[in-house]
Amino acid sequence: MTSDSEIAVQVVPDHGFGILATLLRASHLAGPDDLPALTMLAGESLGARQSVLYVVDYDQAFLVPLRPAVMPPASAATPIAVDGTLAGLAYSESAQHSSIGPDTSTLWTPVLDGSERLGVLQLDFAAGFEVDDALRSACRDVASLLGELVVTRTLIGDSIEKARRRVPLTLPAEMQWRQLPPLTFLSPRVAIAGILVPTAEVAGDSFDYAMNDDTLHVAVIDAMGHGMEATLLSAVAVSTLRNARRAGVALTAMVRAIDSAVSEQFGGDKFVTGIIGQLDVRSGWWTWVTCGHPAALLIRDGKVVKELDSVIGVPLGLGLLDCDPTVGAERLQPQDRLLLFTDGVIEARDSQGDFFGNERLVEFVARQAAASRPAAETLRRLNHAILDHQQGSLQDDATTVIIEWLSDS
């Protein structure tokens, strides 16, 4: 691990490639604990007098600063709420926002890994400092590189993970989060976003996706029970799915592989439910198998137009799948969305025992779609609505995935 002094190389301020080159060279021997110093180094190169890198917490409720080893108490950054703040707006909209004060101009830039929202970069400039288009562009480039460093440095140390955790994760939750792909993926033809709660205690719920050539593979899994056993069930199901997919087998063979693996490992008396599907991103054809799971919803023009319940098969792992499962097919239109979810979403109860329910779910998602909110932001708001409905304490995992077919061209 390097020290702050070791990475504080000489830089020449500019708004172009030199900043990125300097930051990249300085990062080669840097670990996660060095990210605050690298952020300040980049900020100085851009002319900022203070630079802070924030990462979003697991609940996507707060932006948490990555703190340098030495920082004067008067300038110590504190967590910022996502909702109701300019920093949070930059995060939720994935767009730059700025404010001008008597002594300082602040530019908030989203920190992304591709389309995955990781946090924001705060750059404070002296009053009167010109924040022009070239500088804004340079700030976006720096934030992009910092996003890559957040992802890679998370793999080799714990400081970033510790910052993101407002409460400790249970052991099953620790294992479950390590199974997940990035929460968001965006390409010219398709977008996908997933989210799950309770973030610190999730066990049996999971989701997976993979973009291979023109096919987006998607799965939502809900393992029976709670705690470690549910996590192990889910892990076997997802790992089997990935193994079968990477072997190039057909959709029905993937489903049968999960059924066999769960049955063999858990004796035939444990099961998982799920939806395993594929979207042809050129034609818009969605094909899927539903295995004892709530049906997906089709959203078009801001309204839920169909429940994809024509195909309902048996749960996986009980040895009841004695032939290839029935495959459903639905042709999507550009900008259509598919909503996949586990039963913990609709079965969340408030203090009076009222379910969150299908009707409330449909109304919420339709309202967000009508407001043209991106899939990832829709799910962030949905999770908070579910938590609010249960006063912040869920009795079951609640997982939601949105797939949006963007274009056929």
Side-chain angles (χ1 to χ4, degrees), residues 186 190-193 279 284 286 296-308 330-340 364-380 401-406:
L186 176 66
V190 69
I192 184 169
L279 176 64
W286 165 249
L297 303 178
L298 174 58
I299 303 167
R300 179 173 295 153
D301 298 328
K303 299 178 182 178
V304 176
V305 297
K306 186 180 289 189
E307 187 175 2
L308 302 184
E330 182 77 23
R331 178 72 178 270
L332 305 186
Q333 297 178 12
Q335 281 72 59
D336 277 359
R337 287 181 171 184
L338 293 169
L339 180 69
L340 287 62
F364 183 93
V365 172
R367 189 166 61 248
Q368 300 300 312
S372 300
R373 288 200 172 92
E377 181 59 17
T378 295
L379 293 188
R380 187 187 76 84
V401 171
I402 289 180
I403 308 161
E404 183 174 9
W405 190 45
L406 298 172

Side-chain angles (χ1 to χ4, degrees), residues 40-123:
M40 289 189 286
L41 171 66
E44 291 170 2
S45 301
L46 293 164
R49 61 185 187 185
Q50 178 169 286
S51 313
V52 183
L53 175 60
Y54 293 78
V55 292
V56 72
D57 74 335
Y58 270 83
D59 288 323
Q60 297 187 51
F62 286 89
L63 296 160
V64 184
L66 296 184
R67 306 177 188 278
V70 178
M71 175 181 272
S75 61
T78 57
I80 301 172
V82 171
D83 293 322
T85 66
L86 207 58
L89 202 59
Y91 171 82
S92 61
E93 294 182 349
S94 295
Q96 285 179 318
H97 287 274
S98 59
S99 62
I100 300 175
D103 301 315
T104 304
S105 294
T106 301
L107 182 63
W108 299 97
T109 302
V111 176
L112 308 170
D113 176 41
S115 54
E116 171 84 344
R117 303 180 299 178
L118 303 176
V120 296
L121 172 63
Q122 175 190 356
L123 294 170

Side-chain angles (χ1 to χ4, degrees), residues 204-208 217-224 233-234 237-238 241 251-252 254-256 258-259 262 270-278 286-297 308-318 321 325-328 339-344 399-401 403:
D205 279 13
S206 192
F207 67 89
D208 191 42
H217 302 261
V218 184
V220 172
I221 298 293
D222 184 357
M224 69 171 288
L233 272 165
S234 175
V238 172
L241 172 68
L251 176 60
T252 53
M254 294 181 199
V255 174
R256 298 196 67 170
I258 296 172
D259 181 61
V262 172
K270 310 294 182 191
F271 65 87
V272 301
T273 70
I275 295 177
I276 297 93
Q278 298 173 345
W286 165 249
T287 53
W288 80 95
V289 176
T290 302
C291 308
H293 198 83
L297 303 178
L308 302 184
D309 57 359
S310 61
V311 177
I312 302 291
V314 297
L316 303 178
L318 298 176
L321 194 64
T326 303
V327 177
L339 180 69
L340 287 62
F341 54 93
T342 62
D343 58 12
T399 295
T400 317
V401 171
I403 308 161

Side-chain angles (χ1 to χ4, degrees), residues 177-190:
W177 278 99
R178 302 291 77 79
Q179 290 185 57
L180 294 179
L183 298 183
T184 308
F185 169 74
L186 176 66
S187 77
R189 286 196 171 92
V190 69

